[in-house]
Amino acid sequence: KLKILLGVVLVCFCLVGRWGEAAAKFPEVNKQSFFAQDNANVLTAETRGLINKIGKELQTKTKAQIVAVTIDSLQGENLEEYSNQFFRKLELGDKATNNGLLFLIAVKDHKLRIEVGYGLEGAVTDGFAGSVRDKYIVPAFKKNDFNKGIQNGYIALAQKVAASYKVELESLKSIPKVEKKEPTPEESADADDDLLISFGIIAAVVIISIIVVIKKMRQPAGHGKKHHGKSDNNYDDNDSFWDSGDSGGGGSSGGGGASGDW
């Protein structure tokens, strides 16, 4: 019995030690670019600034937090376990509702994870997270275009969360819609009907765009908000405007979301 007890104690020490090692591998929280923490250095300042702008507005209007984090490697750790622990470490989302989401990219491992907090599982289902991964993220990553994949994936997730709270994000109105994946042969079976619908959508977008342009042309010079000499359409995460603060005190995630590789 004594040998068994000593064995159990030894195993416990090993497990605790391994957990400590895994936790120690988490990057430091970047409070100056909280919503776009680019530890792998694959994003431009413009991409980081745009994500921070969207993330900050989403948090202000809904208390939800979507954080994109790039790392070089998982260092042999399990993707799902690492993401879940990191999600808890960041304490994403509001403390009361746990409406946080972690978008993790391990660049050298070619792995990604969308980890969804309990409070957002009704909006960002496993199926939706998987579709965002397949349509917007993986195709761009396969071309080594991390800016496009991360930006478009983040926008798709932010749009979904904002819609679930019935709010509009002003930060999304000045940028193009995320690109759609090319349809498969099965999806093109009703091409004629889809084409008519597409023409209708395009016509509506063109009309809205013309109205927006005319409205902007009628605005007096200097009407747009400036940040240290930059217009609203320029994003730089070195600007103090993007200082995002800290977590919302949440951090509960049950493993919902989607994993993937490329």
Side-chain angles (χ1 to χ4, degrees), residues 80 83-84 87 100-103 113-117 253-258:
E80 285 74 18
S83 300
N84 190 275
F87 185 101
L101 187 151
L102 173 64
F103 178 14
R113 172 71 182 168
I114 299 173
E115 184 76 19
V116 183
S253 168

Side-chain angles (χ1 to χ4, degrees), residues 114 125-137 139 156 181 258:
I114 299 173
T125 62
D126 293 357
F128 179 79
S131 69
V132 171
R133 172 199 63 204
D134 297 339
K135 292 180 180 179
Y136 308 128
I137 304 171
K181 184 183 69 171

Side-chain angles (χ1 to χ4, degrees), residues 182-195:
E182 289 298 319
T184 63
E186 292 79 9
E187 293 171 339
S188 302
D190 297 324
D192 292 339
D193 291 340
D194 292 342
L195 188 59

Side-chain angles (χ1 to χ4, degrees), residues 18 32 53 60 80 116 135 170-171 186 208 217 223 233 245:
R18 181 170 178 77
Q32 279 65 51
K53 182 183 178 79
T60 299
E80 285 74 18
V116 183
K135 292 180 180 179
E170 295 295 325
S171 52
E186 292 79 9
I208 293 173
M217 290 176 66
H223 179 78
N233 292 328

Side-chain angles (χ1 to χ4, degrees), residues 102-168:
L102 173 64
F103 178 14
L104 179 73
I105 305 96
V107 175
K108 293 181 179 178
D109 296 329
H110 290 241
K111 293 182 179 297
L112 67 94
R113 172 71 182 168
I114 299 173
E115 184 76 19
V116 183
Y118 283 121
L120 290 181
E121 288 183 346
V124 184
T125 62
D126 293 357
F128 179 79
S131 69
V132 171
R133 172 199 63 204
D134 297 339
K135 292 180 180 179
Y136 308 128
I137 304 171
V138 170
F141 283 8
K142 286 183 176 179
K143 298 178 181 178
N144 290 322
D145 194 342
F146 292 100
N147 283 278
K148 180 178 180 180
I150 293 173
Q151 176 177 304
N152 284 358
Y154 192 97
I155 290 172
L157 293 167
Q159 287 174 333
K160 184 68 171 179
V161 173
S164 72
Y165 281 94
K166 295 181 174 58
V167 301
E168 292 187 3

